Amino acid sequence: KMAALDLPDDATRFSVELEFVQMLGNIRYIQFLAHQNFLDDPAFINYITYLQYWRKPEYSQYISYPHCLYFLELLQSEDFRSKVNEYAFTTKVEEQQLLHYVFSGLNKGRNPSEQTKTS
């Protein structure tokens, strides 16, 4: 006789999915998933499709690392999934993320009209 599958309650599922989606903000984690062949697994691709609901405002408000939502969207692309295996590609993405964080950190708290002015 098969044992009943114990499904997590809604709060646990929310927390686990939130944590996983936010981990997708790290391109090296995505590269790890690629190297473990998760990005070639149709079940995993279906899971990524399911997780797209996190991009809706009622869910995205809980996201601390917004890059993860962009990568969540990109993971639907077969081209992106194949490029993630390339070290040069992930290094470039990582560098661009760093530049974004540095630039946005420098402008944090500034009036938007002042952001275009040179100091």
Side-chain angles (χ1 to χ4, degrees):
K1 184 177 180 180
M2 281 182 40
L5 181 63
D6 290 330
L7 296 175
D9 59 44
D10 288 344
T12 301
R13 192 178 101 210
F14 179 88
S15 295
V16 168
E17 290 178 1
L18 174 60
E19 183 175 352
F20 176 73
V21 167
Q22 293 199 107
M23 289 172 63
L24 297 177
N26 181 335
I27 192 66
R28 295 297 176 186
Y29 178 66
I30 296 173
Q31 186 178 50
F32 167 80
L33 293 173
H35 289 168
Q36 301 301 313
N37 297 317
F38 281 103
L39 302 187
D40 298 324
D41 182 348
F44 185 80
I45 303 307
N46 286 340
Y47 185 58
I48 291 298
T49 301
Y50 158 75
L51 291 173
Q52 295 302 312
Y53 77 87
W54 281 97
R55 297 173 53 227
K56 296 178 182 175
E58 61 267 30
Y59 295 98
S60 65
Q61 67 180 322
Y62 299 102
I63 298 288
S64 298
Y65 309 104
H67 282 169
C68 70
L69 298 175
Y70 184 60
F71 289 133
L72 180 64
E73 181 179 5
L74 286 175
L75 280 166
Q76 295 182 99
S77 161
E78 188 175 335
D79 185 49
F80 177 78
R81 292 192 308 267
S82 67
K83 285 183 179 178
V84 169
N85 275 310
E86 300 170 17
Y87 179 79
F89 176 78
T90 54
T91 299
K92 182 70 173 176
V93 170
E94 192 173 51
E95 289 170 355
Q96 293 301 307
Q97 276 189 289
L98 179 60
L99 289 172
H100 171 78
Y101 287 132
V102 167
F103 179 75
S104 67
L106 292 174
N107 286 315
K108 198 166 270 193
R110 279 189 179 174
N111 181 325
S113 64
E114 295 175 357
Q115 291 180 10
T116 57
K117 296 178 185 176
T118 56
S119 299

Short mmCIF file of all heavy atoms in Angstrom, two decimals, residues 1-2 9 13 19 21 31-32 39 51-52 55 59 68 82 84-85 88 90 92-93 95 101-102 107 114 118-119:
data_model
loop_
_atom_site.label_atom_id
_atom_site.label_comp_id
_atom_site.label_asym_id
_atom_site.label_seq_id
_atom_site.Cartn_x
_atom_site.Cartn_y
_atom_site.Cartn_z
N LYS A 1 0.85 -1.18 0.00
CA LYS A 1 0.00 0.00 0.00
C LYS A 1 0.89 1.24 0.00
O LYS A 1 1.82 1.35 0.78
CB LYS A 1 -0.90 -0.04 1.24
CG LYS A 1 -1.89 1.08 1.31
CD LYS A 1 -2.78 0.91 2.52
CE LYS A 1 -3.76 2.05 2.58
NZ LYS A 1 -4.65 1.95 3.71
N MET A 2 0.58 2.20 -0.87
CA MET A 2 1.38 3.42 -0.96
C MET A 2 1.06 4.36 0.19
O MET A 2 -0.09 4.51 0.59
CB MET A 2 1.10 4.16 -2.27
CG MET A 2 1.83 3.54 -3.44
SD MET A 2 1.59 4.40 -5.01
CE MET A 2 1.62 6.10 -4.61
N ASP A 9 1.96 22.70 4.05
CA ASP A 9 0.85 23.64 4.17
C ASP A 9 1.17 24.88 3.33
O ASP A 9 2.28 25.06 2.85
CB ASP A 9 0.58 23.99 5.64
CG ASP A 9 1.77 24.62 6.34
OD1 ASP A 9 2.42 25.51 5.73
OD2 ASP A 9 2.07 24.25 7.48
N ARG A 13 4.84 26.18 1.88
CA ARG A 13 5.06 26.22 0.44
C ARG A 13 5.43 27.63 -0.01
O ARG A 13 6.36 27.82 -0.80
CB ARG A 13 3.81 25.74 -0.31
CG ARG A 13 4.09 25.49 -1.79
CD ARG A 13 2.89 24.97 -2.51
NE ARG A 13 2.32 26.12 -3.21
CZ ARG A 13 1.07 26.29 -3.50
NH1 ARG A 13 0.17 25.40 -3.13
NH2 ARG A 13 0.65 27.35 -4.14
N GLU A 19 11.98 31.45 -1.15
CA GLU A 19 13.42 31.27 -1.00
C GLU A 19 14.05 30.78 -2.31
O GLU A 19 15.09 31.29 -2.73
CB GLU A 19 13.72 30.30 0.13
CG GLU A 19 15.20 30.13 0.38
CD GLU A 19 15.50 29.26 1.60
OE1 GLU A 19 14.59 28.90 2.35
OE2 GLU A 19 16.69 28.93 1.77
N VAL A 21 12.89 31.08 -5.44
CA VAL A 21 12.82 32.12 -6.47
C VAL A 21 13.91 33.16 -6.22
O VAL A 21 14.60 33.59 -7.15
CB VAL A 21 11.42 32.77 -6.52
CG1 VAL A 21 11.43 34.05 -7.33
CG2 VAL A 21 10.40 31.78 -7.09
N GLN A 31 23.83 28.69 -12.79
CA GLN A 31 24.85 27.91 -13.48
C GLN A 31 25.01 26.54 -12.81
O GLN A 31 25.15 25.52 -13.50
CB GLN A 31 26.18 28.67 -13.49
CG GLN A 31 27.24 27.98 -14.32
CD GLN A 31 28.53 28.78 -14.35
OE1 GLN A 31 29.03 29.18 -13.31
NE2 GLN A 31 29.05 29.00 -15.54
N PHE A 32 24.98 26.51 -11.49
CA PHE A 32 25.04 25.23 -10.77
C PHE A 32 23.88 24.34 -11.20
O PHE A 32 24.07 23.14 -11.46
CB PHE A 32 25.01 25.48 -9.26
CG PHE A 32 24.75 24.25 -8.45
CD1 PHE A 32 25.77 23.34 -8.18
CD2 PHE A 32 23.48 23.97 -7.97
CE1 PHE A 32 25.53 22.19 -7.45
CE2 PHE A 32 23.23 22.82 -7.23
CZ PHE A 32 24.25 21.93 -6.97
N LEU A 39 18.30 22.26 -15.79
CA LEU A 39 17.74 23.13 -16.83
C LEU A 39 17.38 22.37 -18.09
O LEU A 39 16.77 22.93 -19.01
CB LEU A 39 18.71 24.27 -17.15
CG LEU A 39 19.09 25.16 -15.97
CD1 LEU A 39 19.90 26.36 -16.45
CD2 LEU A 39 17.88 25.62 -15.18
N LEU A 51 6.22 28.82 -11.40
CA LEU A 51 6.68 29.88 -10.50
C LEU A 51 6.55 31.29 -11.07
O LEU A 51 6.77 32.27 -10.34
CB LEU A 51 8.15 29.63 -10.10
CG LEU A 51 8.40 28.43 -9.21
CD1 LEU A 51 9.90 28.20 -9.05
CD2 LEU A 51 7.72 28.60 -7.85
N GLN A 52 6.14 31.42 -12.31
CA GLN A 52 6.00 32.75 -12.91
C GLN A 52 5.00 33.62 -12.15
O GLN A 52 5.03 34.84 -12.26
CB GLN A 52 5.60 32.64 -14.39
CG GLN A 52 6.64 32.00 -15.28
CD GLN A 52 7.97 32.71 -15.27
OE1 GLN A 52 8.05 33.93 -15.41
NE2 GLN A 52 9.04 31.94 -15.09
N ARG A 55 5.94 36.89 -10.34
CA ARG A 55 6.14 38.16 -11.02
C ARG A 55 4.94 39.08 -10.87
O ARG A 55 5.02 40.27 -11.19
CB ARG A 55 6.48 37.90 -12.48
CG ARG A 55 7.81 37.13 -12.61
CD ARG A 55 8.15 36.68 -14.01
NE ARG A 55 8.11 37.78 -14.94
CZ ARG A 55 7.50 37.72 -16.13
NH1 ARG A 55 6.91 36.61 -16.52
NH2 ARG A 55 7.50 38.75 -16.92
N TYR A 59 2.53 39.07 -5.28
CA TYR A 59 3.58 38.17 -4.78
C TYR A 59 4.95 38.84 -4.81
O TYR A 59 5.75 38.66 -3.90
CB TYR A 59 3.61 36.87 -5.59
CG TYR A 59 2.36 36.06 -5.43
CD1 TYR A 59 1.34 36.12 -6.38
CD2 TYR A 59 2.17 35.26 -4.31
CE1 TYR A 59 0.16 35.40 -6.21
CE2 TYR A 59 1.00 34.54 -4.14
CZ TYR A 59 0.00 34.61 -5.10
OH TYR A 59 -1.14 33.90 -4.92
N CYS A 68 16.02 38.35 -9.37
CA CYS A 68 15.53 36.96 -9.46
C CYS A 68 14.31 36.86 -10.36
O CYS A 68 14.14 35.86 -11.06
CB CYS A 68 15.25 36.39 -8.08
SG CYS A 68 13.81 37.09 -7.23
N SER A 82 20.77 27.44 -22.21
CA SER A 82 22.00 26.85 -22.77
C SER A 82 23.20 27.76 -22.53
O SER A 82 24.30 27.27 -22.27
CB SER A 82 21.82 26.54 -24.25
OG SER A 82 21.69 27.72 -25.00
N VAL A 84 23.80 29.66 -20.01
CA VAL A 84 24.20 29.66 -18.60
C VAL A 84 25.33 28.67 -18.34
O VAL A 84 26.10 28.84 -17.39
CB VAL A 84 22.98 29.38 -17.68
CG1 VAL A 84 23.37 29.11 -16.26
CG2 VAL A 84 22.01 30.54 -17.75
N ASN A 85 25.49 27.69 -19.19
CA ASN A 85 26.60 26.74 -19.04
C ASN A 85 27.95 27.36 -19.41
O ASN A 85 28.98 26.80 -19.07
CB ASN A 85 26.36 25.50 -19.91
CG ASN A 85 25.52 24.48 -19.20
OD1 ASN A 85 25.79 24.12 -18.06
ND2 ASN A 85 24.49 24.01 -19.87
N ALA A 88 31.99 32.39 -19.63
CA ALA A 88 32.10 33.80 -20.04
C ALA A 88 30.75 34.51 -19.95
O ALA A 88 30.69 35.68 -19.54
CB ALA A 88 32.65 33.88 -21.47
N THR A 90 28.12 33.74 -17.91
CA THR A 90 27.72 33.97 -16.51
C THR A 90 28.61 35.01 -15.84
O THR A 90 28.14 35.79 -15.01
CB THR A 90 27.72 32.66 -15.69
OG1 THR A 90 28.98 32.03 -15.82
CG2 THR A 90 26.62 31.73 -16.15
N LYS A 92 29.93 37.61 -17.37
CA LYS A 92 29.44 38.92 -17.88
C LYS A 92 28.16 39.32 -17.15
O LYS A 92 28.00 40.48 -16.75
CB LYS A 92 29.21 38.83 -19.39
CG LYS A 92 28.75 40.10 -20.02
CD LYS A 92 29.86 41.13 -20.01
CE LYS A 92 29.45 42.35 -20.80
NZ LYS A 92 30.45 43.40 -20.74
N VAL A 93 27.25 38.38 -16.97
CA VAL A 93 26.00 38.67 -16.25
C VAL A 93 26.31 39.09 -14.82
O VAL A 93 25.76 40.07 -14.31
CB VAL A 93 25.05 37.46 -16.28
CG1 VAL A 93 23.87 37.66 -15.34
CG2 VAL A 93 24.56 37.20 -17.69
N GLU A 95 29.05 40.45 -13.66
CA GLU A 95 29.64 41.79 -13.69
C GLU A 95 28.57 42.86 -13.87
O GLU A 95 28.62 43.91 -13.21
CB GLU A 95 30.67 41.89 -14.81
CG GLU A 95 31.93 41.10 -14.57
CD GLU A 95 32.83 41.02 -15.81
OE1 GLU A 95 32.43 41.51 -16.89
OE2 GLU A 95 33.93 40.45 -15.67
N TYR A 101 24.17 47.11 -8.97
CA TYR A 101 24.10 47.33 -7.53
C TYR A 101 24.93 48.54 -7.11
O TYR A 101 24.50 49.33 -6.28
CB TYR A 101 24.54 46.09 -6.76
CG TYR A 101 23.54 44.96 -6.79
CD1 TYR A 101 23.94 43.67 -7.10
CD2 TYR A 101 22.20 45.18 -6.54
CE1 TYR A 101 23.04 42.63 -7.14
CE2 TYR A 101 21.28 44.15 -6.58
CZ TYR A 101 21.70 42.88 -6.88
OH TYR A 101 20.80 41.86 -6.91
N VAL A 102 26.11 48.68 -7.69
CA VAL A 102 26.96 49.83 -7.35
C VAL A 102 26.28 51.12 -7.78
O VAL A 102 26.18 52.07 -7.00
CB VAL A 102 28.36 49.68 -8.01
CG1 VAL A 102 29.14 50.99 -7.92
CG2 VAL A 102 29.13 48.55 -7.35
N ASN A 107 22.99 56.05 -6.19
CA ASN A 107 21.85 56.94 -6.45
C ASN A 107 20.73 56.81 -5.42
O ASN A 107 19.77 57.55 -5.48
CB ASN A 107 21.28 56.68 -7.85
CG ASN A 107 22.18 57.24 -8.91
OD1 ASN A 107 22.66 58.37 -8.79
ND2 ASN A 107 22.44 56.46 -9.93
N GLU A 114 18.12 64.73 -9.89
CA GLU A 114 19.55 64.91 -9.59
C GLU A 114 20.38 63.75 -10.12
O GLU A 114 21.58 63.87 -10.25
CB GLU A 114 19.78 65.02 -8.08
CG GLU A 114 19.17 66.26 -7.46
CD GLU A 114 19.33 66.27 -5.95
OE1 GLU A 114 19.85 65.28 -5.39
OE2 GLU A 114 18.93 67.25 -5.32
N THR A 118 25.77 65.69 -13.12
CA THR A 118 27.09 65.27 -12.66
C THR A 118 27.44 66.06 -11.42
O THR A 118 27.06 67.21 -11.27
CB THR A 118 28.15 65.50 -13.75
OG1 THR A 118 28.13 66.87 -14.15
CG2 THR A 118 27.90 64.59 -14.95
N SER A 119 28.18 65.42 -10.53
CA SER A 119 28.53 66.08 -9.28
C SER A 119 29.74 66.95 -9.42
O SER A 119 30.62 66.72 -10.16
CB SER A 119 28.80 65.04 -8.19
OG SER A 119 27.64 64.27 -8.00
#
